[in-house]
Amino acid sequence: MNASGAVLFNAPTGADNGPEEWRAALTRLDPGVDFRVWPDTGPVAEIEFALVWRPEPGDLRRYPNLKAIFNLGAGVDALLKDASLPPAVPIVRLVDRGLTIGMTEYVLLHVLRYHRGLPEMEAQQRRREWMPRPYPLPWRRRVGILGLGVLGGDAAATLAGLGFDVAGWSRTPKALPGVKGFIGAAGLAPFLERSEILVCLLPLTAATAGILDAGAFAALPRGAAVINAARGGHVVEADLLAALDSGQVGHATLDVFAAEPPPSDHPFWTHPRVTMTPHVASLTVPETAAEGIVEGMRRARAGAALRHVVDLAQGY
Ligand code: NDP
Ligand code: OXD
C-alpha cells in the first residue's frame, strides 16, 4: 500500500450534501484525493480511508488496508450497531465548526422561544387575544444542558455569554466559565431539579438510552420545556406524552425520534405543545467538515495520533 490510497465515500445524499459536494470540498484541500463513491470502490485493497454515514453492516470489513473510518456525523450510535466493524481500525467522529454553529443556533432558537414565552403568544394569536407577558432576566432563567461535549459545551457557553443561569451534566468534570457542572449519576437529580429549560445533547449509548423517562420528567420544575436535539432513543416517548398531558412538561421541541419519520398516526404530529423538526438541528457541512477529515487523513498517513477517536468502551 503506498502513502496515498483511495478515499471511499458511502453516505446517503443529505438535505444539503451529496458525493459531489464532498468530492469538491476534499479536493479543494487535497487536490490529489482519489475519491470513490460506493459501490464503485475499485479494488478493495486500494481503499485507505472510509467516509461513512450508516453504511451497510459488514461493508467496512471488506477493505484490508483501511487506516481510519470517518463518521460523517457526530453521533456514532448507528455505526456501532455493526458488530462486524474491523476491530483495529479507529473510528473518528465528526467535529466540524459548521455542525457546532448549526447546533448552537438551534439551541438558542428554541431556548429563546421558551424564555420569551413564544408558544403561549402563538396560542394567544390564534385566539385573537392581546396579552403582554412578562419574562425574567436571563440570569433568573435556569437552562440545563445534558452533555457538555463539543456541541453541548458550545451551546452552554453561548447561553452563559448571554447571561443565562446555565448548568451542564457530563460524565467527567468540565470547566466552562459561567456554567455550573453536575457530574454522573449522583449529579443528575439536582441538575434536573433546576432545569426550567432542558436541552439534550448526549450521545446515544447504553448508559444514556431512555434517560428522559417518567422519573426525569418528574424531577424537572413543573411546566419545564424539553428540547431534544440528540437522538430519539434518549426519550421514552410514552412518558413524554404523559408528562405533557399532565402539564409536568410544558412544551417539547423534538428534532429526533424513535422512528424517523414517526408514523403518520404518532401523537407528536398533532400535539399542541410539541414542536417537531425533521432531524435538522444541525447538518454536516462538507465545506467545513472536510477540514478535520483532511487533517485526520494527513495525521494517519504520518503515523500521528488521530483526534476525536471514538472510545468503544464508552460508545461515543
Ligand atoms: P461529545 O462526545 O463531544 O459530547 C458528549 C457529552 O455527553 C460529553 O460531555 C460527555 O461527557 C457526555 N456524556 C456521555 N455519556 C454520558 C453519561 N453516561 N453521563 C453523563 N454525561 C455523558 O458529543 P457531541 O457534543 O459532538 O454530540 C452529541 C450528540 O449530538 C451526538 O452524539 C449526536 O447524537 C447528537 N447530534 C444531533 C444532531 C442533530 O441534527 N439532531 C447533529 C449532531 C449531533 P464527558 O465530557 O465527560 O465525556
Ligand atoms: C449527527 C447527526 O450525529 O446529524 O451528526 O445527527
Side-chain angles (χ1 to χ4, degrees):
M1 180 93 214
N2 65 30
S4 50
V7 176
L8 175 67
F9 176 86
N10 185 358
T13 297
D16 64 345
N17 59 68
E20 291 320 311
E21 283 79 4
W22 281 101
R23 188 197 299 277
L26 293 169
T27 305
R28 188 171 55 82
L29 300 171
D30 178 5
V33 67
D34 178 357
F35 186 82
R36 303 191 187 167
V37 181
W38 191 91
D40 297 326
T41 61
V44 290
E46 290 178 9
I47 303 299
E48 189 182 18
F49 299 109
L51 275 49
V52 299
W53 182 246
R54 299 172 182 260
E56 296 61 26
D59 187 69
L60 288 165
R61 241 211 144 90
R62 295 174 51 226
Y63 310 104
N65 294 312
L66 200 56
K67 283 201 178 87
I69 297 166
F70 292 91
N71 189 57
L72 295 182
V76 289
D77 45 295
L79 183 62
L80 297 190
K81 282 187 192 149
D82 181 352
S84 69
L85 290 173
V89 180
I91 298 171
V92 178
R93 61 187 208 84
L94 189 78
V95 173
D96 159 24
R97 62 194 169 96
L99 191 73
T100 303
I101 291 166
M103 186 58 84
T104 295
E105 283 178 358
Y106 186 89
V107 172
L108 281 184
L109 174 70
H110 293 282
V111 167
L112 291 175
R113 177 168 181 252
Y114 290 125
H115 172 60
R116 296 296 296 262
L118 210 59
E120 291 79 6
M121 288 193 277
E122 287 163 357
Q124 285 173 208
Q125 181 182 347
R126 287 192 288 275
R127 297 193 298 268
R128 295 169 186 262
E129 191 178 288
W130 182 267
M131 192 176 75
R133 289 172 165 268
Y135 51 88
L137 288 160
W139 48 92
R140 302 223 169 87
R141 177 70 79 194
R142 287 169 296 148
V143 183
I145 315 273
L146 284 163
L148 279 183
V150 173
L151 301 179
D154 192 70
T158 305
L159 286 162
L162 289 176
F164 285 95
D165 182 353
V166 183
W169 186 67
S170 54
R171 198 172 54 81
T172 57
K174 299 277 162 275
L176 281 172
V179 179
K180 299 180 177 80
F182 291 80
I183 315 299
L188 186 58
F191 164 83
L192 291 171
E193 279 162 19
R194 69 173 305 286
S195 296
E196 296 172 280
I197 302 175
L198 178 73
V199 181
C200 181
L201 280 174
L202 288 166
L204 184 63
T205 67
T208 65
I211 191 166
L212 295 176
D213 61 3
F217 298 132
L220 296 170
R222 187 163 176 82
V226 172
I227 299 167
N228 185 20
R231 285 292 182 267
H234 289 120
V235 172
V236 179
E237 293 186 344
D239 290 1
L240 176 57
L241 283 163
L244 283 161
D245 290 343
S246 73
Q248 174 58 21
V249 169
H251 204 113
T253 291
L254 305 172
D255 184 58
V256 285
F257 302 86
E260 295 182 5
S264 59
D265 61 349
H266 197 295
F268 286 155
W269 286 110
T270 51
H271 199 290
R273 285 182 290 114
V274 171
T275 300
M276 292 172 68
T277 51
H279 200 145
V280 291
S282 190
L283 299 173
T284 297
V285 185
E287 181 188 340
T288 48
E291 295 165 5
I293 293 170
V294 168
E295 171 62 14
M297 295 193 296
R298 279 198 196 111
R299 281 174 171 263
R301 282 174 177 147
L306 288 168
R307 303 177 68 214
H308 313 302
V309 173
V310 173
D311 176 344
L312 295 177
Q314 295 297 338
Y316 71 99

